[in-house]
Amino acid sequence: MESRFEISSASVAEIRRSIEAKVISYDEALSTAFDRMGQLDKEGPKLNALLSLVEVDEVHLQQERSKPLSGIAFLAKDNIDTQDLPTTAGSLAFEGLPASSDAPIITLMRSLGATLIGKTNLSEWSNFRGIYSASGWSGVGGQTRNPHRLDRSPGGSSSGSAVAVAAGYVPIALGTETDGSIICPASVNGVVGFKPTHGILPTEGVVPISRTQDTLGIFARSVLDVEIVYSALIDKLGKGALFGEGSASTNLSARPQPTPFRIGVPRAGFFGYSPKSDLVFEDVLIALGEAGILVIDDIATRAGSDLSFNIGHELLVLRWEMKQELGKYLSARGVEGRSSLEEIVDFNRDNSSREMSFFGQEHFLAACEMDDSYRSDYEVARSTNLGHTRGEIRKTLINGDVDFLLVPSMGPAWLIDHICGDVIAGSGYSLAAIAGLPSINIPIGDVFGLPVGMTLFGDAYSDLHLLRVASRIQEILSLKLLPGFSTSSGL
């Protein structure tokens, strides 16, 4: 390590080793994060990745010096409650307003010694307000920008968290996912994004959409960093037993793990939405095979499974559960005139020149209509979609005799467009999201300088094994995708 510690490229493990070797102090490890953000703000482009920051002096006062993550600065998506910084979900309805208490995940991170230094911009209301939204835009923060190409989308909805890690602000950041909100921005920003098994990390204090799909997750530049943080959280929660219990017939993580790893690649429905990304993915499959990982192609056909889902069912589930869960959250938040979904709809209308200049609130309006007459439809949609996706993924893994499934995450970042909204041709992350299963984006290369990634996913509670396999894959690829902060494609 150089005498001057460089946070923009350092891993969690490197930071910890440098502190223990007294190459840097705890204070220096944190100060460099602020230095990096300040340098880019003055000399570089405006990324709009951050919504709020703590004061440097307050950070040093809060320092824990003998914990597993001491000296590690982190950022959190601004839909995660904090009492010392505003929690807005990107909406002007909560601009400048902290929550009454920290979300449990913030308390956990702090108990491990990690230091929260700020909150990140996001797709407002986690991209579930209006249909024609542009990822990474919020009323509070404006448009987050992709550090690899400033005119390209940062993805969403955990836009600022992924951008902050890619730009070297911090080694780790927290995000959330309902369907793609971790994997998507991780892929287009060239970083690792991990979504654990649903329900492992506590989501209390997170502005909700869906109780059956909302999941907290972690962004980092390496899978190893994710594993360090996630393992520490699991140990703190006392949930380590979840990853070793169960019989082989019900919990794949309990099976004896074969060597070499066996990975299945489903084809139908996962390819063709970005031919250039597909070519990068095919090269990766060759590299994995040459490194000794067994890649079983067209695994769904071999296993006789159907890896599809009903988007209409998912939409109904999300709208129904948003009406229930967001209503409870807003009521508990207790801000006058903002204590129900209907009041937020009214606020947006009253402030439409700022809140709805680019897109509307169709999802909110549809959610407001979800009364008891929709209950039976909701229950059918939820049981059918969840049961089908979970069952067919497990069938694929067992009948195909593989540990995990591997697919392209999505294509490269699209142009930011506030007139027409996002243009996404397809993605590979929805199955795991709907089924509540663990998934991770691994960067695999670029298309004309724009990062692309692939998604590895598997059965419930296979999280730690998933991370070990993903770490091995990242080691094989030995890839670094550094942002160029360029203003146009140059093509």
Side-chain angles (χ1 to χ4, degrees):
M1 297 290 294
E2 295 179 358
S3 59
R4 177 55 180 165
F5 195 69
E6 187 56 62
I7 195 73
S8 63
S9 60
S11 68
V12 170
E14 288 170 337
I15 294 170
R16 293 292 301 150
R17 283 198 300 268
S18 295
I19 290 173
E20 290 166 6
K22 302 188 184 305
V23 173
I24 58 167
S25 68
Y26 289 98
D27 288 349
E28 286 173 331
L30 295 170
S31 295
T32 48
F34 287 93
D35 291 345
R36 172 69 173 172
M37 290 184 285
Q39 178 188 6
L40 282 180
D41 191 46
K42 290 178 182 178
E43 303 172 8
K46 185 73 172 175
L47 297 176
N48 277 356
L50 305 175
L51 291 186
S52 57
L53 282 173
V54 301
E55 296 293 330
V56 179
D57 291 341
E58 291 179 10
V59 166
H60 297 324
L61 287 173
Q62 295 170 8
Q63 256 295 290
E64 294 269 7
R65 310 234 165 178
S66 59
K67 302 294 180 71
L69 299 181
S70 293
I72 305 300
F74 77 101
L75 293 162
K77 185 178 179 181
D78 198 37
N79 66 338
I80 302 172
D81 280 353
T82 49
Q83 61 181 346
D84 52 348
L85 290 170
T87 301
T88 69
S91 171
L92 295 171
F94 292 98
E95 187 174 24
L97 299 178
S100 59
S101 61
D102 287 342
I105 190 65
I106 300 296
T107 302
L108 281 166
M109 289 292 288
R110 285 174 163 160
S111 72
L112 291 167
T115 301
L116 178 69
I117 64 170
K119 306 287 286 291
T120 58
N121 201 4
L122 67 160
S123 308
E124 187 174 314
W125 294 107
S126 295
N127 217 11
F128 206 66
R129 192 195 83 188
I131 294 175
Y132 301 105
S133 60
S135 286
W137 183 91
S138 73
V140 173
Q143 179 63 54
T144 310
R145 297 191 175 274
N146 191 312
H148 293 268
R149 197 74 50 73
L150 301 181
D151 59 352
R152 296 277 167 167
S153 176
S157 63
S158 302
S159 317
S161 292
V163 169
V165 170
Y169 289 178
V170 287
I172 54 172
L174 298 181
T176 66
E177 174 166 318
T178 304
D179 186 344
S181 286
I182 289 172
I183 303 298
C184 166
S187 180
V188 300
N189 288 286
V191 298
V192 174
F194 172 57
K195 183 191 81 71
T197 296
H198 176 266
I200 296 297
L201 298 182
T203 54
E204 295 85 0
V206 174
V207 181
I209 294 176
S210 165
R211 64 175 174 271
T212 56
Q213 290 184 213
D214 288 352
T215 311
L216 280 154
I218 303 165
F219 293 96
R221 290 184 287 274
S222 75
V223 179
L224 179 58
D225 278 0
V226 171
E227 186 174 359
I228 289 170
V229 174
Y230 187 60
S231 296
L233 287 168
I234 294 303
D235 288 345
K236 193 73 175 178
L237 287 165
K239 291 187 175 181
L242 287 172
F243 301 98
E245 292 176 347
S247 67
S249 62
T250 59
N251 188 344
L252 292 177
S253 66
R255 294 191 310 175
Q257 300 300 340
T259 301
F261 303 128
R262 297 174 61 88
I263 293 175
V265 177
R267 289 281 170 177
F270 294 98
F271 289 78
Y273 42 77
S274 176
K276 291 182 175 64
S277 297
D278 288 351
L279 291 175
V280 178
F281 184 86
E282 299 293 356
D283 287 342
V284 167
L285 294 185
I286 294 172
L288 296 183
E290 291 175 346
I293 291 180
L294 291 179
V295 178
I296 315 300
D297 209 349
D298 200 15
I299 190 68
T301 299
R302 292 170 181 257
S305 56
D306 173 22
L307 296 179
S308 64
F309 65 95
N310 186 315
I311 185 64
H313 283 167
E314 184 189 22
L315 195 57
L316 176 59
V317 168
L318 298 188
R319 287 171 170 173
W320 170 273
E321 292 186 352
M322 170 180 259
K323 174 67 176 296
Q324 311 300 316
E325 302 305 314
L326 186 55
K328 293 176 186 175
Y329 173 87
L330 294 170
S331 177
R333 189 81 185 262
V335 177
E336 186 176 356
R338 322 277 198 276
S339 60
S340 70
L341 182 56
E342 289 79 7
E343 288 184 342
I344 297 296
V345 166
D346 290 340
F347 175 90
N348 291 339
R349 284 175 177 154
D350 293 341
N351 296 273
S352 59
S353 62
R354 295 179 64 196
E355 275 288 9
M356 298 200 294
S357 55
F358 297 132
F359 61 94
Q361 52 181 344
E362 294 87 355
H363 290 311
F364 276 11
L365 293 171
C368 286
E369 296 176 359
M370 292 284 120
D371 58 22
D372 242 20
S373 66
Y374 288 88
R375 181 181 296 276
S376 61
D377 291 339
Y378 158 73
E379 290 173 349
V380 168
R382 180 172 175 268
S383 62
T384 300
N385 228 25
L386 289 178
H388 174 80
T389 54
R390 287 174 179 168
E392 292 301 306
I393 289 171
R394 172 159 291 185
K395 180 179 178 181
T396 307
L397 294 168
I398 293 175
N399 290 358
D401 191 26
V402 294
D403 303 298
F404 299 104
L405 302 180
L406 187 66
V407 297
S409 294
M410 60 191 311
W414 54 100
L415 289 168
I416 294 170
D417 187 347
H418 290 148
I419 298 174
C420 299
D422 287 340
V423 179
I424 302 175
S427 61
Y429 46 68
S430 289
L431 271 180
I434 291 170
L437 303 179
S439 60
I440 188 168
N441 175 77
I442 306 166
I444 60 172
D446 69 276
V447 174
F448 295 111
L450 295 171
V452 290
M454 61 186 184
T455 297
L456 186 73
F457 64 101
D459 199 21
Y461 309 118
S462 64
D463 303 41
L464 296 180
H465 185 45
L466 176 82
L467 289 172
R468 294 184 190 110
V469 174
S471 186
R472 174 60 183 143
I473 291 173
Q474 192 174 43
E475 180 185 4
I476 292 168
L477 298 180
S478 187
L479 178 71
K480 285 188 178 181
L481 293 173
L482 300 177
F485 305 98
S486 60
T487 55
S488 64
S489 65
L491 298 177

